[in-house]
Amino acid sequence: MNFDLTPEQEQLRDAVRALGRRYGHRYFVEKAKAGEHTTELWQEAGGLGYLGVNIPTEYGGGGGGITELAIVCEELAAAGCPLLLLVVSPAIAATVINRHGTEEQRERHLPGLADGTQKIVFAITEPDAGSNFHRLATVARRDGDDWVLSGRKCYISGVDEAGHVLVVARVAVEDGGAGSADASGRKLKPALFIVPTDAPGLTWSKLDMEIVSPENQFLLYLDDVRLPADALVGESLDAGLPALFSGLNPERITVAAMGAGTGRYAIERAGAYTATRAVWGGRTIGSHQGVAHPLAHAAVQVELARLMIQQAAARYDAGRDLEAGVCANMAKYAAGEAAALAVDTAVQALGGAGMTTEYGVATLLGAVRAGRIAPVSREMILNFVAQHVLGQDKSY
């Protein structure tokens, strides 16, 4: 069993780390507080090929997998620049289109996703259904050769930065298959649509969040949005369910990697401070176990999460989807807990300084707390593990 990265992966990690540190957390916070986006960092990362590491080479990508994309997510976060759109655009959208899109869709979208000139965000969550695709109220219906979408979405990241939204809707079909039924008894199957953000009938409003982030959250409204037939991801409606699930494991793995990177960043900041801050007779505060042990404990939790992320990514890239699903959920749970612990412990170790913008730790409190909720809550992950690992009856 080899836990070492390949030489190419090590080079990628070093290069992304250097890029992230050139920008740093101050840049990230300044952009967020000014209501601006990290456009310069995104464009440079795209130009260097880091945004497309998981996209096949024939579409302009690096030909790697989620392992490589997780490295990019983690190292940028470890430099204080956790970019949420890495999760929704390269991880979810690019994976779904590459695995289940038509060849025309791959040729149209993947090159831009690879070099960062195109962003596609993801819309599944709804006000009443959450992310439960069995209960989604957003529906698509055929009208001649077109599709017409109606519904609402919430907590949709980065719509104002993207050219397209990958929308999860339900379509009524006469035959059976996966899905729930509508009032008339017809089956409702999940389907994914690539919707231009300038499509007539598509509007959005910004959600005010208590999170310091240059990437915003939105409510999305689809009011009879008319789309051509080729907006449907895949050759037919049969692609909908596998396409939806294919994006969930990469989402969890890259969110976990971002959390682990954030935890590393917080511990590094706190460690540097406590190793030099001297009080009580000239001893550094880090020499006291009451300060050092909580930081050491947080560091252990972050490293354990990183191991599970590595395992989840390796199994996903090997095509072992069922095993990857268990590992991805565990990785997301572990990293969410570890990141929240690391940031909170770092703030405590820095004392009053930990709450200042200057020291760059408390600015991450909102983000790591959200990481225990989204994109799947810790409670739903525990339900998943209880059912699929421990063999317990389904509890929901």
Side-chain angles (χ1 to χ4, degrees):
M1 186 177 296
N2 186 3
F3 291 99
D4 293 330
L5 298 178
T6 66
E8 294 77 13
Q9 290 168 342
E10 286 285 6
Q11 291 171 8
L12 175 65
R13 183 180 293 280
D14 292 343
V16 176
R17 179 187 298 121
L19 173 65
R21 289 184 174 178
R22 269 202 292 113
Y23 284 87
H25 190 59
R26 185 178 298 276
Y27 163 83
F28 180 88
V29 171
E30 287 176 352
K31 287 291 185 179
K33 292 192 172 183
E36 300 174 354
H37 303 305
T38 52
T39 305
E40 301 87 355
L41 174 55
W42 184 272
Q43 290 177 343
E44 187 167 356
L48 292 169
Y50 304 151
L51 303 182
V53 290
N54 62 312
I55 294 174
T57 55
E58 57 264 39
Y59 303 108
I66 294 302
T67 297
E68 285 74 18
L69 187 59
I71 289 172
V72 175
C73 291
E74 182 182 343
E75 290 305 321
L76 286 179
C81 297
L83 300 186
L84 181 57
L85 286 192
L86 278 170
V87 175
V88 293
S89 195
I92 301 176
T95 298
V96 167
I97 292 171
N98 180 51
R99 278 194 165 198
H100 300 283
T102 64
E103 180 57 30
E104 192 276 333
Q105 288 168 343
R106 288 191 286 269
E107 291 176 354
R108 186 193 311 171
H109 297 291
L110 291 182
L113 292 174
D115 65 17
T117 57
Q118 182 176 177
K119 296 175 184 175
I120 299 180
V121 296
F122 184 60
I124 181 172
T125 308
E126 294 186 359
D128 296 324
S131 297
N132 181 1
F133 76 87
H134 293 291
R135 295 288 179 264
L136 296 181
T138 299
V139 295
R141 58 180 174 83
R142 294 305 299 258
D143 185 16
D145 292 333
D146 294 342
W147 290 100
V148 178
L149 271 63
S150 298
R152 293 185 302 159
K153 300 290 181 178
C154 61
Y155 304 118
I156 309 306
S157 306
V159 177
D160 58 333
E161 302 181 59
H164 296 81
V165 186
L166 189 60
V167 175
V168 183
R170 295 197 299 165
V171 178
V173 294
E174 298 300 334
D175 58 348
S180 54
D182 66 5
S184 66
R186 295 177 303 173
K187 272 291 185 181
L188 292 169
K189 298 179 66 171
L192 279 70
F193 296 87
I194 304 173
V195 182
T197 52
D198 61 357
L202 176 63
T203 57
W204 58 82
S205 60
K206 184 173 175 289
L207 281 165
D208 291 327
M209 307 291 290
E210 296 300 320
I211 299 174
V212 178
S213 173
E215 296 155 324
N216 298 313
Q217 301 292 311
F218 293 90
L219 290 167
L220 212 62
Y221 309 94
L222 299 107
D223 184 12
D224 287 341
V225 176
R226 183 172 293 274
L227 302 169
D230 62 1
L232 175 71
V233 172
E235 299 288 351
S236 71
L237 289 174
D238 291 335
L241 191 62
L244 173 59
F245 281 120
S246 73
L248 297 184
N249 286 337
E251 176 188 50
R252 284 152 174 69
I253 294 167
T254 50
V255 164
M258 193 166 62
T262 301
R264 284 173 50 203
Y265 167 83
I267 292 167
E268 180 182 341
R269 296 287 292 176
Y273 180 86
T274 56
T276 56
R277 171 75 168 162
V279 293
W280 304 315
R283 296 177 62 185
T284 63
I285 62 174
S287 68
H288 296 274
Q289 292 178 352
V291 175
H293 281 189
L295 285 173
H297 173 63
V300 170
Q301 300 309 306
V302 169
E303 287 304 310
L304 290 173
R306 294 180 75 199
L307 285 174
M308 185 53 75
I309 293 163
Q310 185 176 355
Q311 182 177 173
R315 290 186 175 181
Y316 182 84
D317 290 338
R320 297 160 63 182
D321 287 351
L322 291 178
E323 297 167 78
V326 173
C327 292
N329 276 285
M330 288 184 171
K332 194 273 172 187
Y333 180 97
E337 299 298 301
L341 175 66
V343 172
D344 184 68
T345 303
V347 170
Q348 191 70 24
L350 270 67
M355 293 303 297
T356 66
T357 302
E358 176 186 357
Y359 281 86
V361 182
T363 44
L364 293 165
L365 281 169
V368 295
R369 187 61 186 84
R372 300 175 73 204
I373 301 169
V376 57
S377 72
R378 61 194 298 273
E379 290 76 18
M380 287 305 296
I381 291 176
L382 292 175
N383 284 336
F384 178 91
V385 172
Q387 180 184 351
H388 295 283
V389 178
L390 304 182
Q392 303 302 303
D393 289 339
K394 190 174 182 179
S395 63
Y396 58 94

